[in-house]
Amino acid sequence: MTSLADLADVGRDARRGGYSRHGFDRVELELREWFTAEATARGLDVRADRNGNLWAWWGRPGPGAVVTGSHLDSVPGGGAFDGPLGVVSALQAVDLLRARGFRPARPLAVAVFVEEEGGRFGVACLGTRLMTGAITPERAAALVDADGVSFGDAARAAGFDPSAMGRDDAALASIGAFVELHVEQGRGLTAPVGVASSILAHGRWRFTFTGEGNHAGATPVQDRRDPVLPASATVLAARAAARGGARATVGRIVPNPGGANVIASSVDLWLDARASDDATTRAVVAEVVAAAERAAADEGCEVRVTEESYGDTVHFDAGLRDELSAVLGGVPALPTGAGHDAGVLAGHVPTAMLFVRNPTGVSHAPEEFAEDADCAAGVVALAAALEHLAG
């Protein structure tokens, strides 16, 4: 039987711990091959769309389809559950339904979306953003990873034509309902399974501080234009701006050239900001930007801020949410601070999410965990949802 254990040795990160699996890299391509083999073994018809997403169809593809699934990529050094749990659970739900003799009256598909975390190319939910037109194919193709490889080149190497990517109205029109199962990424869920009510407004901003590279020993402090100082002040400003339930996080800082005895010439820093609504999120970012500009000016540096991705508050389809909660015996509904492909799709098709309990609340880290019994309960819940929607 398919399980997360099948993926336990794929993409382990010896330096960070956990897993590093990124869109169209060697590891993610191996996982895509695994999914294709598992789905094919079940008699599902596996197809890739022009944006690099995989679809495994139970029945002939067509309008009104019930779709489930998630992603197989991870953040750098991520946990074992974020993404793959939803894919593995979807395959297990198909097995469970077939064992019951269920035959869907509507087309049913398991989807795997590319580069959900944005861990390689910097933009989260890239597969669904392309499919919905939330990002242009030209901008997507020009995104580059840490090694200077563009998304366009990576997609081409994986067998996709970046010039053919973009909004896919046919794919969107085929989805009658989308249900994504995911491990909860906090401690809000106390029952084994719950449903999502909303996603915080959130985005990612890149700050580029430019100063003057020089010798660490030969340059007096008063003669320096060191971009590390305003970058450091920005980290503190982000923490100070995170009030009243808002979140502001700096998880990546890259000095250039990065020598221990070198004053950096530039520093790139990424801010992740989230809050309950658009206005609050924008206010948090504005506060951090203002602090960054002041700190840069004080050090004789310059700063440029670029919005790399953004999503407004998502409210999942209330009718579908309540319908599934009732089918599952009245499981609780809760908001989430984490972004998902379901959140991108929610503005275009009826969408719902199921959460599996996370006893520690740790996610995006090697310690991410869910009990076997709760994962099994998630499969049962997903199967019940699919049977209800596709029956």
Side-chain angles (χ1 to χ4, degrees):
M1 180 179 176
T2 299
S3 72
L4 280 175
D6 297 344
L7 312 182
D9 295 324
V10 183
R12 285 192 178 274
D13 192 318
R15 180 174 71 87
R16 300 181 179 96
Y19 296 90
S20 290
R21 304 157 166 167
H22 307 305
F24 293 144
D25 71 2
R26 176 190 59 79
V27 172
E28 200 253 5
L29 291 175
E30 181 179 343
L31 292 174
R32 290 163 68 92
E33 291 178 359
W34 165 85
F35 173 77
T36 299
E38 288 290 331
T40 301
R42 290 165 169 78
L44 305 182
D45 179 15
V46 182
R47 306 180 182 188
D49 67 23
R50 54 193 173 91
N51 291 308
N53 307 308
L54 297 176
W55 303 75
W57 288 93
W58 182 2
R60 183 186 297 275
V66 177
V67 182
T68 187
S70 194
H71 60 97
L72 291 170
D73 66 305
S74 74
V75 296
F81 295 83
D82 183 355
L85 178 64
V87 176
V88 169
S89 296
L91 294 172
Q92 291 178 340
V94 169
D95 292 341
L96 183 57
L97 290 173
R98 280 195 163 146
R100 295 175 182 167
F102 174 75
R103 296 181 64 86
R106 299 167 63 181
L108 194 153
V110 178
V112 174
F113 298 111
V114 70
E115 187 70 349
E116 191 271 353
E117 297 290 4
R120 181 176 182 185
F121 296 104
V123 175
C125 301
L126 200 48
T128 46
R129 285 182 188 275
L130 280 164
M131 186 172 72
T132 59
I135 188 171
T136 66
E138 294 79 15
R139 184 187 167 210
L143 296 171
V144 295
D145 67 11
D147 297 319
V149 178
S150 72
F151 176 73
D153 287 342
R156 192 176 293 108
F160 298 96
D161 179 3
S163 68
M165 291 181 167
R167 183 178 172 92
D168 192 337
D169 288 315
L172 290 171
S174 72
I175 304 174
F178 177 72
V179 181
E180 180 174 6
L181 180 142
H182 206 281
V183 64
E184 205 236 329
Q185 293 174 281
R187 283 189 289 267
L189 181 62
T190 57
V193 177
V195 295
S197 58
S198 61
I199 296 177
L200 297 182
H202 64 283
R204 187 177 301 177
W205 288 261
R206 179 175 181 165
F207 290 61
T208 299
F209 297 89
T210 305
E212 181 179 65
N214 216 326
H215 194 291
T219 311
V221 170
Q222 66 269 20
D223 293 339
R224 299 184 181 191
R225 294 194 297 120
D226 185 350
V228 172
L229 270 70
S232 301
T234 301
V235 175
L236 297 175
R239 171 56 68 90
R243 300 180 296 272
R247 283 89 155 168
T249 307
V250 175
R252 185 183 180 204
I253 304 173
V254 181
N256 178 48
N261 59 347
V262 178
I263 299 168
S265 58
S266 65
V267 176
D268 285 314
L269 171 154
W270 283 263
L271 170 71
D272 180 296
R274 307 174 190 235
S276 58
D277 55 65
D278 176 79
T280 305
T281 305
R282 297 289 185 184
V284 167
V285 175
E287 182 176 334
V288 177
V289 169
E293 291 173 342
R294 289 193 299 270
D298 289 345
E299 186 63 18
C301 295
E302 298 178 351
V303 60
R304 182 178 73 254
V305 182
T306 305
E307 181 178 294
E308 291 194 333
S309 63
Y310 184 75
D312 203 348
T313 308
V314 172
H315 296 283
F316 288 108
D317 186 285
L320 181 58
R321 178 199 67 210
D322 294 344
E323 186 179 348
L324 293 185
S325 179
V327 167
L328 302 179
V331 298
L334 68 159
T336 177
H340 301 280
D341 286 309
V344 176
L345 292 174
H348 304 269
V349 299
T351 304
M353 288 194 73
L354 303 181
F355 286 138
V356 170
R357 177 169 50 191
N358 181 337
T360 66
V362 173
S363 188
H364 280 192
E367 295 75 21
E368 182 178 77
F369 180 68
E371 298 282 357
D372 287 347
D374 289 348
C375 292
V379 173
V380 171
L382 180 59
L386 298 179
E387 184 174 22
H388 172 76
L389 294 172

